[in-house]
Amino acid sequence: PTFDPDGGADGASRLSLAGGATNLDQDFGYRGTAGVGDLLWLDVDADGTQTGNEPGLAGVVVTVRSSGADGIQGTPDDIVVVTTTDSSGRYRALGLPAGDVVVSYDPTTLPAGYVPASDLDGGSASSAVATLSSGGTRLDVDFVVVGNAALNGVVFDDVNGNGVRDPGDRGISGARVVVIWNGPVGPVTIIVTTDATGAWSKSTLPPGTYTATIDLASVPQGYRPSTGTTSTVNLPAGGVRSFVQGLTTLSLALTGLATVGVLYLAGSLLAAGLLVIAGVYVRRRRGVVVQR
């Protein structure tokens, strides 16, 4: 009991009636002893398990509907509780009667670039039916959300080490690429592996900043990056971005600014009068180049 007319909340009311009088204020309030709740969260790597820094989603409106006295969902006597997920993505609705409830949320209240993925009963990804028992709170009614953006990439054998995929540069298969999403509660790591053509792809990603780093332990010995160790992209909601990453077996990958830097260094050494070319010691003395 939660209410009775004389304020005792004990399921009883005492009153005095005068002859011929009518009292229609003898209302009694009750609440159920069952509850439901849990978590609405972002499955960044789409593996169905919340791990690491995969965040809960705050501020999402959740509706819990229990059938009323007629036992039929969707009629005017339904008991409806509306709540909102907290800062960690959790929600809870208490004081419900035992029996079936429908728990749902409005997908339009999700952040941009996020879409429903799955729920408890495997039906509509944003609505689930759960059975509640008296005296207990069911805390397994989760909702999983994923992103609607995608990344792809290629790891290639940069034969001449120029940092550009030229015609004939083949893909490197079996290379592991460590992709990291810079999430709101910390980085989330996703591991992808290149196929026979050196390509990889990952869909259902949330928008945000991503870095991709080749795991050099996964490629044949002697390879080193020719396009930089790590690449970064900003992925918009619903968008697609690509990583093109090269590896070379050359002792020195002369790419872009690096080439200019090497030529500048060689010129400086020659001007200073000291340079070794192909094992020959070269010294400049009073305008004359002397080899030893």
Side-chain angles (χ1 to χ4, degrees), residues 41-52 54 118 144-146 188-190 202 204:
W41 60 282
L42 178 64
D43 191 3
V44 179
D45 56 8
D47 67 352
T49 303
Q50 189 186 27
T51 55
E54 290 180 319
S118 63
V144 181
V145 173
V146 296
V188 178
T189 299
I190 305 166
K202 182 65 177 175
T204 66

Side-chain angles (χ1 to χ4, degrees), residues 213-236:
T213 304
I214 302 169
D215 179 4
L216 294 180
S218 67
V219 299
Q221 188 173 4
Y223 275 115
R224 57 187 55 81
S226 66
T227 56
T229 302
T230 300
S231 301
T232 301
V233 299
N234 290 314
L235 181 63

Side-chain angles (χ1 to χ4, degrees), residues 8-177:
D10 57 1
S13 175
R14 294 180 180 273
L15 71 157
S16 297
L17 287 176
T22 300
N23 185 317
L24 299 180
D25 296 325
Q26 298 304 301
D27 295 335
F28 295 84
Y30 294 86
R31 72 195 302 261
T33 59
V36 66
D38 209 17
L39 181 65
L40 197 148
W41 60 282
L42 178 64
D43 191 3
V44 179
D45 56 8
D47 67 352
T49 303
Q50 189 186 27
T51 55
N53 292 320
E54 290 180 319
L57 301 180
V60 179
V61 177
V62 177
T63 301
V64 181
R65 182 180 294 272
S66 174
S67 58
D70 63 6
I72 302 173
Q73 285 275 355
T75 56
D77 70 342
D78 284 357
I79 300 169
V80 179
V81 178
V82 178
T83 186
T84 303
T85 57
D86 65 16
S87 60
S88 63
R90 297 192 179 278
Y91 74 93
R92 192 164 300 185
L94 304 175
L96 297 168
D100 287 349
V101 294
V102 176
V103 185
S104 62
Y105 70 92
D106 183 356
T108 64
T109 64
L110 292 174
Y114 293 7
V115 294
S118 63
D119 64 7
L120 177 70
D121 64 7
S124 167
S126 59
S127 178
V129 177
T131 302
L132 308 185
S133 300
S134 295
T137 299
R138 184 166 181 173
L139 297 177
D140 64 347
V141 187
D142 289 357
F143 292 95
V144 181
V145 173
V146 296
N148 65 357
L151 292 173
N152 59 58
V154 65
V155 178
F156 69 95
D157 184 357
D158 190 2
V159 177
N160 61 8
N162 68 348
V164 177
R165 191 177 190 187
D166 300 314
D169 285 351
R170 63 179 181 83
I172 299 175
S173 64
R176 287 192 303 272
V177 180

